[in-house]
Amino acid sequence: MTEQHSHRFERGTDGPKVIVVGVDGSDSSLRAAAYAGGLARRQRALLAVVYVQPVLAAGAALGVPVAETTDEIAEDLIAQIREATERVKGIFDVRWEFHTFPGDPYNGLVKAADDLKADAVVVGASEQAGHRIVGSVAVRLVKAGRWPVTVVP
């Protein structure tokens, strides 16, 4: 009688090759990006910086220029990341890409992690009091159980 083992798909590496980090401009997300950058450098992994652009139909109905605002946030985040990259050029080399995905933060990060074949996901701890009751994006990602998730305070 032979014993059967169920094997999960493994990419054949000793560490993560793609690390997804969610950024939204908050202090905790920028700390998460810095942490993920260090992890990517040490692991020689690709750092995929992801900004999830909210789809706010209600805001658009009220005449708020939502698309322009979220585009400005994305452009500002890219500028901040490029500036930080320039500061450490020659000291630390990190391969990185910037991606935007539409949707709410949880579903946007899930889609990003799936599409980019993430080996790990890094997010900042929620800074909103209501998330302690309802559950933050980080908690929902951990509960999904699909990738190792690091939550940076």
Side-chain angles (χ1 to χ4, degrees):
M1 183 175 219
T2 61
E3 188 178 331
Q4 289 192 349
H5 297 278
S6 65
H7 293 287
R8 291 189 57 125
F9 177 75
E10 185 176 320
R11 291 193 179 92
T13 63
D14 289 335
K17 290 297 173 196
V18 177
I19 299 170
V20 166
V21 61
V23 295
D24 62 7
S26 67
D27 288 344
S28 67
S29 80
L30 297 176
R31 285 191 297 272
Y35 177 86
L39 185 60
R41 178 183 55 80
R42 289 187 297 279
Q43 295 290 333
R44 294 183 179 86
L46 172 67
L47 178 63
V49 181
V50 174
Y51 170 61
V52 179
Q53 287 188 292
V55 178
L56 303 173
L62 296 172
V64 178
V66 175
E68 288 176 24
T69 303
T70 58
D71 285 345
E72 287 172 18
I73 292 170
E75 288 169 15
D76 184 52
L77 289 169
I78 293 170
Q80 288 181 49
I81 295 162
R82 283 201 175 112
E83 184 181 307
T85 304
E86 283 300 313
R87 281 197 306 264
V88 297
K89 201 173 199 171
I91 302 169
F92 301 117
D93 287 322
V94 177
R95 291 181 305 125
W96 65 277
E97 300 173 348
F98 184 83
H99 299 270
T100 60
F101 285 82
D104 66 275
Y106 171 75
N107 288 309
L109 286 172
V110 166
K111 179 162 178 36
D114 284 346
D115 289 0
L116 300 170
K117 298 185 178 10
D119 296 299
V121 177
V122 179
V123 292
S126 175
E127 296 177 350
Q128 296 180 14
H131 286 171
R132 292 189 190 109
I133 300 163
V134 180
S136 67
V137 172
V139 169
R140 292 174 67 195
L141 289 168
V142 170
K143 286 182 177 179
R146 294 165 62 182
W147 325 266
V149 177
T150 301
V151 183
V152 178

